[in-house]
């Protein structure tokens, strides 16, 4: 206290502990630039608020939490993932039959009840790998899984949020074919053409892929009336500007798959592993995981399972 006795007032400054915040080290590793990610998440919230102001009844989800409580853009859930090899081996020369089979496979994964849509943005979504390993998922996780499987074949696929006559709030997958759009229902495995009068989809509200989120601003949002070309800004309001869309964002999906084959000799197994190309990584920091299981059958017949995974740490 340096105030003279003649002063009529005294002032004191002291530091009070109000609280703290802890960022898990794993969370920092998963986000290459923490500040940039924060700005993008804030932008996503503002974008959602503005879209809701335009069409309050239309669905839009821009961010969700993973099972560790970390918030991500929904775009980071989209990545090309290979379906189980058993599904690929059934119709080797019929791609359309393979797509139908994959959609059927996804529909057989049990569903968990969705949270009310007023909680959109605070939902918890699992990765596709987690969805398969637990054999359960919500509507959005089913659609993401199916979309990721389609991307593996080079299809142009997006997740669609809307409403259905039969199911209420739904998540579909839309694929762009040569001269038409197809609408896939992950709940049933059924596929509909855009102008199919028997398609139960009632509204098309929002689209997203691994690059961006688009909100439908067309007055008529029924599937037959919707113009699906989301590059037209007069019909679709996009979350990220074009100069940001090209930025490579790390997906939160895990890349990996199993190999199952009869045992003949060690070299044939090694050759099968090399043929996957999983070792041909562009990043020198890539980490790999490998596990082998051999199941014995009578007469020395062996079934070999090789599990492969690759993880790319982003600095």
């Amino acid at each position: 206290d340096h105030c003279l006795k003649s002063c009529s007032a005294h002032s004191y400054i002291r530091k009070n502990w109000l609280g703290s915040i802890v960022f898990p080290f794993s969370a920092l590793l998963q986000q290459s630039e923490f500040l940039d990610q924060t700005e993008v998440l804030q932008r996503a919230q503002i974008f959602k608020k503005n879209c809701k102001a335009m069409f309050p009844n239309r669905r839009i989800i821009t961010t969700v939490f993973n099972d560790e409580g970390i918030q991500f853009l929904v775009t980071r859930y989209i990545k090309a993932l290979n379906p189980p090899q058993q599904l690929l081996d059934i119709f080797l020369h019929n791609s359309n039959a393979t797509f139908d089979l994959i959609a059927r496979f996804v529909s057989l994964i049990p569903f968990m009840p969705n949270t009310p849509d007023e909680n959109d943005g605070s939902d918890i979504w699992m990765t596709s790998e987690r969805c398969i390993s637990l054999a359960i998922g919500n509507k959005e996780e089913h659609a993401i899984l199916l979309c990721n499987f389609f991307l593996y074949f080079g299809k142009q696929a997006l997740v669609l949020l809307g409403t259905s006559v039969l199911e209420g709030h739904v998540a579909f997958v839309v694929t762009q074919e040569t001269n038409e759009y197809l609408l896939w229902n992950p709940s049933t495995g059924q596929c509909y053409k855009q102008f199919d009068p028997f398609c139960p989809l009632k509204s098309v509200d929002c689209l997203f892929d691994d690059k961006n989120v688009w909100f439908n601003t067309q007055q008529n949002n029924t599937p037959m009336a919707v113009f699906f070309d989301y590059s037209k800004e007069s019909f679709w309001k996009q979350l990220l500007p074009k100069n940001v869309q090209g930025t490579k964002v790390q997906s939160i999906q895990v890349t990996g798959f199993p190999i199952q084959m009869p045992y003949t000799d060690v070299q044939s197994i090694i050759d099968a592993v090399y043929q996957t190309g999983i070792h041909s990584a562009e990043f020198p920091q890539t980490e790999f995981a490998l596990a082998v299981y051999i199941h014995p059958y009578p007469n020395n017949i062996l079934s070999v399972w090789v599990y492969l995974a690759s993880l790319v740490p982003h600095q």
Side-chain angles (χ1 to χ4, degrees):
D1 181 8
H2 302 291
C3 186
L4 299 176
K5 294 183 178 179
S6 60
C7 292
S8 59
H10 289 242
S11 63
Y12 297 93
I13 299 176
R14 66 181 183 183
K15 296 180 180 180
N16 291 332
W17 181 258
L18 299 179
S20 65
I21 183 170
V22 177
F23 294 104
F25 187 65
S26 60
L28 297 178
L29 289 178
Q30 291 177 11
Q31 303 189 43
S32 56
E33 297 181 12
F34 183 76
L35 292 177
D36 286 352
Q37 290 297 326
T38 302
E39 293 174 0
V40 171
L41 294 176
Q42 292 174 346
R43 180 189 184 96
Q45 294 300 324
I46 296 173
F47 176 82
K48 176 182 175 181
K49 183 178 180 180
N50 293 338
C51 292
K52 280 292 189 180
M54 298 171 60
F55 294 96
N57 295 326
R58 295 188 182 181
R59 300 186 62 209
I60 178 170
I61 303 177
T62 56
T63 64
V64 294
F65 292 88
N66 71 351
D67 52 9
E68 296 180 353
I70 304 172
Q71 191 176 23
F72 292 109
L73 286 180
V74 294
T75 58
R76 296 185 66 179
Y77 281 79
I78 306 299
K79 179 183 180 180
L81 297 177
N82 56 289
Q85 189 63 41
Q86 296 93 320
L87 301 181
L88 302 180
D89 293 339
I90 296 177
F91 301 106
L92 292 176
H93 305 292
N94 190 337
S95 58
N96 289 332
T98 299
F99 299 146
D100 291 337
L101 180 63
I102 291 173
R104 176 62 176 164
F105 167 75
V106 172
S107 71
L108 293 176
I109 299 175
F111 283 78
M112 66 172 64
N114 275 28
T115 55
D117 250 27
E118 54 265 21
N119 292 334
D120 279 359
S122 60
D123 287 339
I124 298 177
W125 288 1
M126 299 183 294
T127 63
S128 294
E129 183 272 339
R130 189 75 170 160
C131 181
I132 292 179
S133 64
L134 295 179
I136 195 170
N138 62 26
K139 293 179 180 179
E140 290 78 18
E141 289 160 348
H142 278 73
I144 289 170
L145 178 61
L146 182 59
C147 181
N148 290 342
F149 282 164
F150 283 164
L151 291 174
Y152 172 80
F153 295 95
K155 274 184 171 292
Q156 188 170 352
L158 302 94
V159 174
L160 181 157
L161 300 180
T163 56
S164 165
V165 176
L166 302 177
E167 304 176 64
H169 292 154
V170 292
F172 272 46
V173 175
V174 56
T175 59
Q176 182 177 356
E177 308 300 330
T178 304
N179 54 1
E180 63 182 352
Y181 290 92
L182 298 181
L183 305 171
W184 300 79
N185 185 353
S187 300
T188 63
Q190 291 181 288
C191 176
Y192 304 90
K193 294 183 178 181
Q194 179 184 358
F195 301 103
D196 187 343
F198 295 101
C199 179
L201 192 63
K202 184 173 65 174
S203 71
V204 177
D205 299 335
C206 175
L207 301 173
F208 67 88
D209 62 7
D210 62 332
K211 300 181 181 65
N212 215 337
V213 179
W214 293 270
F215 182 73
N216 185 6
T217 58
Q218 301 168 63
Q219 290 298 324
N220 190 341
N221 64 342
T222 58
M224 288 189 180
V226 165
F227 188 62
F228 273 102
D229 186 356
Y230 47 86
S231 65
K232 305 297 182 183
E233 297 183 13
S234 57
F235 297 139
W236 295 91
K237 182 179 178 65
Q238 59 186 13
L239 168 61
L240 300 175
K242 293 182 178 180
N243 61 330
V244 178
Q245 293 178 38
T247 305
K248 182 65 176 177
V249 179
Q250 177 192 9
S251 168
I252 67 170
Q253 305 288 1
V254 177
T255 301
F257 50 88
I259 298 175
Q260 191 278 323
M261 59 187 298
Y263 177 81
T264 52
D265 55 72
V266 175
Q267 188 60 46
S268 61
I269 299 175
I270 295 175
D271 293 341
V273 171
Y274 276 115
Q275 288 173 6
T276 66
I278 195 173
H279 61 287
S280 302
E282 299 178 359
F283 302 96
Q285 300 88 357
T286 302
E287 299 178 4
F288 300 96
L290 172 67
V292 179
Y293 170 73
I294 300 177
H295 189 83
Y297 288 91
N299 299 328
N300 293 324
I301 296 176
L302 304 176
S303 175
V304 180
W305 292 83
V306 182
Y307 294 85
L308 301 167
S310 67
L311 298 172
V312 182
H314 286 245
Q315 302 298 330

